[in-house]
Short mmCIF file of all heavy atoms in Angstrom, two decimals:
data_model
loop_
_atom_site.label_atom_id
_atom_site.label_comp_id
_atom_site.label_asym_id
_atom_site.label_seq_id
_atom_site.Cartn_x
_atom_site.Cartn_y
_atom_site.Cartn_z
N TRP A 77 333.43 53.68 93.58
CA TRP A 77 334.65 53.17 92.95
C TRP A 77 335.82 54.15 93.03
O TRP A 77 336.94 53.78 92.69
CB TRP A 77 334.40 52.73 91.52
CG TRP A 77 333.60 53.68 90.69
CD1 TRP A 77 332.25 53.68 90.53
CD2 TRP A 77 334.09 54.77 89.93
NE1 TRP A 77 331.88 54.71 89.71
CE2 TRP A 77 332.99 55.40 89.33
CE3 TRP A 77 335.35 55.30 89.71
CZ2 TRP A 77 333.12 56.51 88.51
CZ3 TRP A 77 335.48 56.40 88.89
CH2 TRP A 77 334.36 56.99 88.32
N TRP A 78 335.60 55.39 93.50
CA TRP A 78 336.75 56.28 93.71
C TRP A 78 337.53 55.76 94.92
O TRP A 78 336.96 55.50 95.97
CB TRP A 78 336.31 57.72 93.97
CG TRP A 78 335.79 58.40 92.74
CD1 TRP A 78 334.49 58.76 92.50
CD2 TRP A 78 336.53 58.79 91.59
NE1 TRP A 78 334.39 59.36 91.27
CE2 TRP A 78 335.63 59.39 90.68
CE3 TRP A 78 337.87 58.70 91.22
CZ2 TRP A 78 336.03 59.90 89.44
CZ3 TRP A 78 338.27 59.21 89.99
CH2 TRP A 78 337.35 59.79 89.12
N GLU A 79 338.83 55.62 94.78
CA GLU A 79 339.67 55.06 95.84
C GLU A 79 340.01 56.08 96.93
O GLU A 79 340.12 55.72 98.10
CB GLU A 79 340.97 54.51 95.23
CG GLU A 79 340.71 53.34 94.29
CD GLU A 79 341.94 52.95 93.49
OE1 GLU A 79 342.96 53.69 93.51
OE2 GLU A 79 341.88 51.91 92.83
N ASP A 80 340.23 57.32 96.53
CA ASP A 80 340.60 58.38 97.47
C ASP A 80 339.70 59.58 97.23
O ASP A 80 339.54 60.01 96.08
CB ASP A 80 342.08 58.77 97.30
CG ASP A 80 343.00 57.61 97.62
OD1 ASP A 80 343.05 57.22 98.80
OD2 ASP A 80 343.63 57.07 96.69
N VAL A 81 339.12 60.11 98.31
CA VAL A 81 338.18 61.22 98.19
C VAL A 81 338.41 62.17 99.36
O VAL A 81 338.41 61.74 100.52
CB VAL A 81 336.70 60.72 98.22
CG1 VAL A 81 335.74 61.88 98.10
CG2 VAL A 81 336.45 59.67 97.13
N VAL A 82 338.62 63.44 99.04
CA VAL A 82 338.76 64.47 100.08
C VAL A 82 337.89 65.66 99.70
O VAL A 82 337.58 65.87 98.53
CB VAL A 82 340.23 64.92 100.27
CG1 VAL A 82 341.10 63.76 100.74
CG2 VAL A 82 340.79 65.51 99.00
N GLU A 83 337.50 66.44 100.72
CA GLU A 83 336.69 67.63 100.49
C GLU A 83 337.24 68.80 101.29
O GLU A 83 337.72 68.62 102.41
CB GLU A 83 335.24 67.40 100.92
CG GLU A 83 334.50 66.40 100.06
CD GLU A 83 333.05 66.23 100.48
OE1 GLU A 83 332.59 66.93 101.42
OE2 GLU A 83 332.36 65.38 99.88
N VAL A 84 337.15 69.99 100.68
CA VAL A 84 337.54 71.24 101.34
C VAL A 84 336.55 72.32 100.95
O VAL A 84 335.83 72.21 99.95
CB VAL A 84 338.97 71.69 100.93
CG1 VAL A 84 340.02 70.67 101.35
CG2 VAL A 84 339.05 71.97 99.44
N SER A 85 336.52 73.37 101.74
CA SER A 85 335.76 74.56 101.36
C SER A 85 336.63 75.39 100.43
O SER A 85 337.86 75.41 100.54
CB SER A 85 335.40 75.37 102.59
OG SER A 85 334.44 74.67 103.35
N TYR A 86 335.96 76.08 99.50
CA TYR A 86 336.68 76.85 98.49
C TYR A 86 335.91 78.12 98.17
O TYR A 86 334.71 78.07 97.91
CB TYR A 86 336.86 76.00 97.23
CG TYR A 86 337.44 76.71 96.04
CD1 TYR A 86 338.65 77.38 96.11
CD2 TYR A 86 336.77 76.69 94.81
CE1 TYR A 86 339.19 78.02 95.01
CE2 TYR A 86 337.31 77.32 93.70
CZ TYR A 86 338.51 77.99 93.80
OH TYR A 86 339.04 78.61 92.70
N GLN A 87 336.60 79.23 98.19
CA GLN A 87 336.02 80.52 97.82
C GLN A 87 336.77 81.01 96.58
O GLN A 87 337.87 81.55 96.69
CB GLN A 87 336.16 81.54 98.96
CG GLN A 87 335.59 82.90 98.62
CD GLN A 87 334.08 82.89 98.44
OE1 GLN A 87 333.37 82.44 99.31
NE2 GLN A 87 333.61 83.37 97.30
N PRO A 88 336.20 80.80 95.39
CA PRO A 88 336.91 81.25 94.18
C PRO A 88 336.96 82.78 94.14
O PRO A 88 336.08 83.45 94.67
CB PRO A 88 336.07 80.69 93.04
CG PRO A 88 334.71 80.49 93.61
CD PRO A 88 334.91 80.19 95.07
N PRO A 89 337.97 83.35 93.48
CA PRO A 89 338.09 84.80 93.39
C PRO A 89 337.09 85.42 92.42
O PRO A 89 336.93 86.63 92.39
CB PRO A 89 339.53 85.01 92.92
CG PRO A 89 339.86 83.75 92.19
CD PRO A 89 339.10 82.66 92.88
N GLY A 90 336.44 84.61 91.62
CA GLY A 90 335.47 85.06 90.63
C GLY A 90 334.98 83.85 89.86
O GLY A 90 335.35 82.72 90.16
N THR A 91 334.17 84.08 88.84
CA THR A 91 333.65 82.95 88.07
C THR A 91 334.64 82.45 87.03
O THR A 91 334.52 81.33 86.55
CB THR A 91 332.33 83.32 87.37
OG1 THR A 91 332.54 84.45 86.53
CG2 THR A 91 331.23 83.60 88.38
N GLU A 92 335.63 83.27 86.67
CA GLU A 92 336.64 82.86 85.69
C GLU A 92 337.85 82.28 86.41
O GLU A 92 338.53 82.99 87.16
CB GLU A 92 337.06 84.05 84.82
CG GLU A 92 335.92 84.65 84.02
CD GLU A 92 335.26 83.66 83.07
OE1 GLU A 92 335.98 82.89 82.39
OE2 GLU A 92 334.01 83.66 82.99
N VAL A 93 338.10 80.99 86.20
CA VAL A 93 339.23 80.31 86.81
C VAL A 93 339.94 79.50 85.73
O VAL A 93 339.45 79.39 84.60
CB VAL A 93 338.79 79.39 87.99
CG1 VAL A 93 338.23 80.21 89.14
CG2 VAL A 93 337.79 78.34 87.53
N ALA A 94 341.06 78.91 86.08
CA ALA A 94 341.79 78.07 85.13
C ALA A 94 342.34 76.85 85.84
O ALA A 94 342.80 76.93 86.98
CB ALA A 94 342.93 78.86 84.48
N LEU A 95 342.27 75.73 85.16
CA LEU A 95 342.91 74.50 85.59
C LEU A 95 344.29 74.53 84.96
O LEU A 95 344.42 74.64 83.73
CB LEU A 95 342.10 73.30 85.10
CG LEU A 95 342.55 71.92 85.53
CD1 LEU A 95 342.47 71.76 87.04
CD2 LEU A 95 341.69 70.86 84.84
N CYS A 96 345.35 74.51 85.79
CA CYS A 96 346.70 74.74 85.30
C CYS A 96 347.67 73.67 85.75
O CYS A 96 347.61 73.20 86.88
CB CYS A 96 347.23 76.08 85.84
SG CYS A 96 346.15 77.46 85.56
N ALA A 97 348.57 73.34 84.85
CA ALA A 97 349.70 72.47 85.15
C ALA A 97 350.87 72.96 84.29
O ALA A 97 350.89 72.70 83.09
CB ALA A 97 349.37 71.02 84.84
N PHE A 98 351.76 73.71 84.88
CA PHE A 98 352.88 74.35 84.20
C PHE A 98 352.40 75.16 83.02
O PHE A 98 351.77 76.18 83.19
CB PHE A 98 353.95 73.34 83.80
CG PHE A 98 354.87 73.00 84.94
CD1 PHE A 98 354.72 71.82 85.63
CD2 PHE A 98 355.85 73.88 85.33
CE1 PHE A 98 355.55 71.52 86.70
CE2 PHE A 98 356.68 73.59 86.41
CZ PHE A 98 356.53 72.40 87.08
N GLU A 99 352.64 74.72 81.79
CA GLU A 99 352.32 75.53 80.62
C GLU A 99 350.93 75.27 80.05
O GLU A 99 350.55 75.87 79.06
CB GLU A 99 353.38 75.33 79.55
CG GLU A 99 354.74 75.82 80.00
CD GLU A 99 355.81 75.59 78.96
OE1 GLU A 99 355.53 75.01 77.89
OE2 GLU A 99 356.96 75.99 79.22
N GLN A 100 350.16 74.39 80.65
CA GLN A 100 348.81 74.11 80.17
C GLN A 100 347.80 74.86 81.04
O GLN A 100 347.81 74.73 82.26
CB GLN A 100 348.51 72.61 80.19
CG GLN A 100 347.18 72.27 79.57
CD GLN A 100 346.94 70.77 79.50
OE1 GLN A 100 347.77 69.97 79.93
NE2 GLN A 100 345.80 70.39 78.98
N PHE A 101 346.95 75.65 80.40
CA PHE A 101 345.93 76.43 81.10
C PHE A 101 344.59 76.15 80.43
O PHE A 101 344.43 76.45 79.25
CB PHE A 101 346.24 77.92 81.04
CG PHE A 101 347.55 78.29 81.69
CD1 PHE A 101 348.74 78.22 80.99
CD2 PHE A 101 347.56 78.69 83.01
CE1 PHE A 101 349.94 78.55 81.59
CE2 PHE A 101 348.77 79.02 83.63
CZ PHE A 101 349.95 78.95 82.91
N VAL A 102 343.66 75.62 81.18
CA VAL A 102 342.32 75.35 80.66
C VAL A 102 341.38 76.32 81.37
O VAL A 102 341.19 76.24 82.59
CB VAL A 102 341.89 73.89 80.93
CG1 VAL A 102 340.47 73.65 80.43
CG2 VAL A 102 342.88 72.91 80.31
N ARG A 103 340.81 77.25 80.63
CA ARG A 103 339.91 78.24 81.21
C ARG A 103 338.55 77.61 81.49
O ARG A 103 338.00 76.90 80.65
CB ARG A 103 339.76 79.43 80.29
CG ARG A 103 341.05 80.18 80.10
CD ARG A 103 340.82 81.50 79.35
NE ARG A 103 342.08 82.14 79.07
CZ ARG A 103 342.81 82.80 79.94
NH1 ARG A 103 342.44 82.90 81.19
NH2 ARG A 103 343.95 83.37 79.58
N LEU A 104 338.02 77.91 82.68
CA LEU A 104 336.72 77.40 83.10
C LEU A 104 335.88 78.58 83.59
O LEU A 104 336.41 79.51 84.19
CB LEU A 104 336.86 76.39 84.24
CG LEU A 104 337.80 75.20 84.02
CD1 LEU A 104 337.92 74.39 85.30
CD2 LEU A 104 337.32 74.35 82.88
N THR A 105 334.58 78.50 83.38
CA THR A 105 333.67 79.50 83.91
C THR A 105 332.74 78.82 84.90
O THR A 105 331.99 77.91 84.53
CB THR A 105 332.84 80.17 82.79
OG1 THR A 105 333.75 80.79 81.87
CG2 THR A 105 331.90 81.22 83.36
N LEU A 106 332.84 79.23 86.15
CA LEU A 106 331.97 78.68 87.19
C LEU A 106 330.61 79.38 87.13
O LEU A 106 330.55 80.59 86.89
CB LEU A 106 332.59 78.91 88.57
CG LEU A 106 334.00 78.34 88.79
CD1 LEU A 106 334.51 78.75 90.17
CD2 LEU A 106 334.01 76.84 88.62
N PRO A 107 329.53 78.65 87.36
CA PRO A 107 328.21 79.30 87.37
C PRO A 107 328.05 80.34 88.48
O PRO A 107 327.28 81.28 88.33
CB PRO A 107 327.24 78.14 87.57
CG PRO A 107 327.96 76.95 87.03
CD PRO A 107 329.41 77.21 87.39
N ARG A 108 328.76 80.15 89.58
CA ARG A 108 328.70 81.08 90.72
C ARG A 108 330.08 81.18 91.34
O ARG A 108 330.90 80.29 91.20
CB ARG A 108 327.73 80.56 91.79
CG ARG A 108 326.33 80.42 91.30
CD ARG A 108 325.42 79.69 92.25
NE ARG A 108 325.51 80.09 93.65
CZ ARG A 108 324.68 79.64 94.57
NH1 ARG A 108 323.72 78.80 94.25
NH2 ARG A 108 324.80 80.01 95.81
N ALA A 109 330.29 82.26 92.09
CA ALA A 109 331.59 82.45 92.73
C ALA A 109 331.44 82.72 94.22
O ALA A 109 332.22 83.44 94.80
CB ALA A 109 332.35 83.59 92.06
N ASP A 110 330.43 82.14 94.83
CA ASP A 110 330.30 82.30 96.28
C ASP A 110 330.94 81.09 96.96
O ASP A 110 331.74 80.38 96.35
CB ASP A 110 328.84 82.49 96.68
CG ASP A 110 327.91 81.46 96.07
OD1 ASP A 110 328.36 80.59 95.30
OD2 ASP A 110 326.70 81.52 96.36
N SER A 111 330.63 80.86 98.20
CA SER A 111 331.23 79.77 98.96
C SER A 111 330.90 78.42 98.32
O SER A 111 329.73 78.10 98.09
CB SER A 111 330.71 79.82 100.40
OG SER A 111 331.28 78.78 101.15
N LEU A 112 331.94 77.64 98.05
CA LEU A 112 331.78 76.34 97.40
C LEU A 112 332.40 75.24 98.25
O LEU A 112 333.24 75.48 99.10
CB LEU A 112 332.47 76.33 96.03
CG LEU A 112 332.06 77.39 95.01
CD1 LEU A 112 332.87 77.22 93.74
CD2 LEU A 112 330.57 77.32 94.73
N ARG A 113 332.00 74.03 97.95
CA ARG A 113 332.65 72.84 98.46
C ARG A 113 333.35 72.21 97.26
O ARG A 113 332.79 72.17 96.15
CB ARG A 113 331.62 71.87 99.05
CG ARG A 113 332.21 70.75 99.86
CD ARG A 113 332.78 71.24 101.16
NE ARG A 113 333.16 70.12 102.01
CZ ARG A 113 333.93 70.25 103.05
NH1 ARG A 113 334.40 71.43 103.40
NH2 ARG A 113 334.24 69.20 103.79
N ALA A 114 334.57 71.74 97.47
CA ALA A 114 335.34 71.08 96.43
C ALA A 114 335.64 69.66 96.88
O ALA A 114 336.14 69.45 97.99
CB ALA A 114 336.64 71.84 96.17
#
Side-chain angles (χ1 to χ4, degrees):
W77 46 268
W78 288 111
E79 296 170 350
D80 297 292
V81 180
V82 297
E83 292 182 3
V84 298
S85 290
Y86 173 56
Q87 179 67 54
T91 58
E92 299 301 317
V93 294
L95 184 63
C96 308
F98 278 102
E99 296 178 358
Q100 186 176 0
F101 299 86
V102 178
R103 296 189 186 284
L104 306 175
T105 300
L106 303 175
R108 299 170 46 173
D110 50 358
S111 180
L112 304 179
R113 192 71 172 165

